[in-house]
């Protein structure tokens, strides 16, 4: 078995793992990233980046590369109830250096981060590598065992193993850390269609009709990603009624898409279903191991928070690990453990704010009673007419990181 030694072994080459690796490699550390997929050019749902995430890409020096390769700037958020717009927010009205969200194909984002990291001598990316087990010594994680794309087995020894392998994290399961998967009352059916000519390109749309809702997300270069709610486990019932049931369901909340939908989505193979849940992990780390991104704190699709928090996690953890990794001997292990604990302490409040905001919106979107729907509409109308309320609520989702501009 081939055994390799590095400072940090990152399992998962997504936004959190690659941001962490880039920052650590630039600081002069050795980082090995193990990614199960052999390539980045695969389909993702998580392409939304909040203004803070855009700002962070600018700080990392990769925003220009991403923009050159293709991304879409979002200018507004619109919520409509039964075909009538209740709330409309213009991101240009916020006072931040980066005020607009972006829709970035995740293969574009990941390749830009990986290429920037590859410029550093300490960075190594091994794609097609599947972790099979953790290596432990007297209760401390000291590395991982993995299987390469060709079937060869290997082992990585490291001062820290980072589980950055997403919402279905294998490292979380192997770690022995306590966690609770909390299913929500719905699943989401996702599909992709061409954007209708009547729709402005740079608009997030949320369409509501009683207890039904749909997310309509502009996607580079000129498509719309559609996510609409069904009851938890309700796909079998929906599919039993044929693809026409899907067409009817979406026509009720977005009739402008009906013609395109019927022409482009002619079977269920053009759809995917996302199981909606959150994960509560009381402790994100143990000696020698830490979880980041969705592996530590799985979020829902509402307001596109997952990628944003993943990027911030990666940069935050790197900054805390840098001085710890420069130490030697037993002191190094102690400082790495402390850095992992500090990482959770610094990040969990922001994550909790985003999760609570998402869960409040999730509940509001499922209101079906007439009075509850009327109350929801009243709230959105109040938001529409109040810059103060918009700022108070939306800034907690989109502007947690950047300093506000003054003057």
């Amino acid at each position: 078995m081939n055994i390799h030694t590095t400072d940090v072994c990152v399992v998962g080459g997504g936004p959190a793992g690659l941001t962490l690796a880039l920052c650590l490699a630039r600081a002069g550390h050795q980082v090995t990233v193990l990614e199960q997929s052999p390539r980045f050019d695969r389909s993702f749902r998580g392409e939304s980046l909040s203004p803070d995430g855009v700002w962070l890409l600018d700080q990392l020096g990769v925003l220009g590369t991403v923009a050159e390769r293709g991304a879409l700037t979002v200018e507004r958020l619109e919520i409509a109830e039964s075909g009538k717009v209740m709330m409309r927010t213009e991101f240009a009205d916020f006072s931040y250096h980066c005020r607009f969200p972006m829709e970035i194909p995740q293969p574009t984002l990941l390749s830009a981060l990986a290429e920037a990291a590859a410029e550093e001598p300490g960075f190594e990316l091994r794609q097609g590598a599947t972790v099979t087990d953790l290596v432990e010594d007297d209760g401390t994680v000291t590395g991982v065992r993995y299987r390469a794309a060709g079937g060869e087995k290997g082992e990585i020894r490291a001062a820290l193993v980072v589980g950055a392998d997403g919402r279905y994290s294998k490292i979380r399961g192997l770690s022995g850390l306590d966690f609770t998967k909390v299913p929500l009352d719905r699943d989401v059916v996702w599909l992709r269609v061409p954007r209708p000519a009547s729709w402005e390109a740079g608009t997030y749309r949320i369409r509501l009709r009683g207890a039904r809702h749909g997310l309509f997300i502009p996607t580079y270069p000129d498509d719309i990603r559609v996510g609409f709610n069904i009851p938890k486990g309700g796909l079998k019932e929906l599919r039993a009624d044929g693809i026409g049931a899907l067409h009817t369901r979406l026509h009720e909340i977005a009739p402008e898409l009906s013609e395109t939908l019927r022409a482009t989505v002619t079977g269920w193979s053009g759809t995917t279903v996302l199981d909606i849940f959150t994960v509560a992990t009381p402790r994100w780390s143990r000696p020698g191991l830490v979880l980041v991104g969705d592996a530590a704190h799985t979020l829902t699709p509402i307001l596109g928070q997952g990628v944003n928090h993943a990027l911030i996690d990666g940069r935050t953890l790197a900054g805390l690990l840098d001085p710890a990794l420069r130490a030697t001997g037993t002191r190094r292990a102690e400082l790495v453990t402390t850095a992992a604990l500090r990482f959770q302490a610094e990040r969990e409040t922001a994550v909790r704010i985003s999760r609570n905001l998402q869960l409040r919106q999730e509940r509001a979107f499922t209101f079906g009673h007439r009075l509850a729907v009327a109350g929801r509409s009243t709230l959105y109308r109040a938001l529409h007419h109040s810059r103060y309320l918009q700022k108070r609520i939306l800034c907690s989702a989109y502007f947690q990181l950047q300093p506000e501009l003054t003057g």
Side-chain angles (χ1 to χ4, degrees), residues 158-169:
L160 183 68
V161 171
V162 180
D165 50 342
R167 66 202 313 264
Y168 299 105
S169 173

Side-chain angles (χ1 to χ4, degrees), residues 30-100:
Q30 302 288 319
V31 188
T32 300
V33 178
L34 301 179
E35 166 56 38
Q36 185 171 355
S37 176
R39 56 190 178 275
F40 292 135
D41 59 341
R42 59 197 195 275
S43 178
F44 292 88
R45 283 177 293 271
E47 300 186 351
S48 302
L49 204 60
S50 78
D52 273 354
V54 175
W55 180 79
L56 185 50
L57 289 187
D58 192 28
Q59 298 293 301
L60 294 173
V62 299
L63 182 59
T65 299
V66 166
E68 289 172 6
R69 295 180 181 178
L72 189 152
T73 298
V74 179
E75 299 175 353
R76 63 193 60 85
L77 167 66
E78 178 183 286
I79 300 177
E81 178 85 55
S82 299
K84 184 176 181 180
V85 174
M86 298 286 107
M87 190 194 86
R88 190 178 177 97
T89 295
E90 297 289 340
F91 289 108
D93 291 339
F94 291 90
S95 300
Y96 295 89
H97 177 68
C98 292
R99 62 191 69 181
F100 299 102

Side-chain angles (χ1 to χ4, degrees), residues 10 12-22 110 113 162-165 292-294 306-307 309-315:
V10 179
L18 288 175
T19 299
L20 171 64
L22 170 60
L110 299 183
L113 291 169
V162 180
D165 50 342
V292 299
D294 273 351
V307 177
H309 280 289
L311 295 174
I312 299 172
D313 274 7
R315 192 187 73 158

Side-chain angles (χ1 to χ4, degrees), residues 251-268:
H251 177 79
E252 293 175 352
I253 55 178
E256 308 97 312
L257 289 179
S258 287
E259 184 176 349
T260 297
L261 180 69
R262 294 176 189 276
T264 58
V265 183
T266 58
W268 293 101

Side-chain angles (χ1 to χ4, degrees), residues 63-313:
L63 182 59
T65 299
V66 166
E68 289 172 6
R69 295 180 181 178
L72 189 152
T73 298
V74 179
E75 299 175 353
R76 63 193 60 85
L77 167 66
E78 178 183 286
I79 300 177
E81 178 85 55
S82 299
K84 184 176 181 180
V85 174
M86 298 286 107
M87 190 194 86
R88 190 178 177 97
T89 295
E90 297 289 340
F91 289 108
D93 291 339
F94 291 90
S95 300
Y96 295 89
H97 177 68
C98 292
R99 62 191 69 181
F100 299 102
M102 292 184 76
E103 290 297 312
I104 304 171
Q106 203 162 115
T108 298
L109 173 61
L110 299 183
S111 61
L113 291 169
E115 289 167 16
E119 296 176 1
E120 307 300 326
F123 173 79
E124 181 184 15
L125 172 62
R126 300 188 183 188
Q127 292 182 281
T130 301
V131 170
T132 58
D133 205 356
L134 298 177
V135 179
E136 298 190 38
D137 181 11
D138 196 24
T140 297
V141 175
T142 57
V144 299
R145 297 186 184 93
Y146 70 95
R147 184 177 61 254
E152 305 90 354
K153 295 181 179 179
E155 190 172 298
I156 305 288
R157 297 291 180 88
L160 183 68
V161 171
V162 180
D165 50 342
R167 66 202 313 264
Y168 299 105
S169 173
K170 184 173 185 178
I171 297 302
R172 184 176 62 214
L174 292 172
S175 70
L177 293 168
D178 290 334
F179 67 92
T180 303
K181 180 179 176 180
V182 183
L184 301 190
D185 293 333
R186 69 181 183 102
D187 293 329
V188 172
V189 178
W190 286 99
L191 52 94
R192 184 166 173 157
V193 296
R195 176 175 55 84
S198 61
W199 279 13
E200 302 157 317
T203 302
Y204 285 145
R205 291 176 174 82
I206 299 175
R207 295 292 183 88
L208 305 167
R209 183 175 290 274
R212 295 184 175 181
H213 74 270
L215 310 176
F216 300 86
I217 303 171
T219 302
Y220 179 85
D222 53 12
D223 286 347
I224 297 291
R225 294 199 313 284
V226 181
F228 67 94
N229 70 309
I230 60 174
K232 177 67 68 177
L235 180 64
K236 183 177 180 180
E237 181 179 350
L238 181 64
R239 293 187 66 166
D241 294 331
I243 195 66
L246 179 147
H247 297 157
T248 300
R249 180 72 175 268
L250 278 173
H251 177 79
E252 293 175 352
I253 55 178
E256 308 97 312
L257 289 179
S258 287
E259 184 176 349
T260 297
L261 180 69
R262 294 176 189 276
T264 58
V265 183
T266 58
W268 293 101
S269 61
T271 69
T272 59
V273 176
L274 181 65
D275 177 19
I276 302 298
F277 62 86
T278 64
V279 171
T281 311
R283 288 179 62 93
W284 298 357
S285 66
R286 52 171 290 199
L289 182 144
V290 65
L291 304 175
V292 299
D294 273 351
H297 44 72
T298 308
L299 298 173
T300 82
I302 295 295
L303 298 174
Q305 294 294 290
V307 177
N308 183 59
H309 280 289
L311 295 174
I312 299 172
D313 274 7

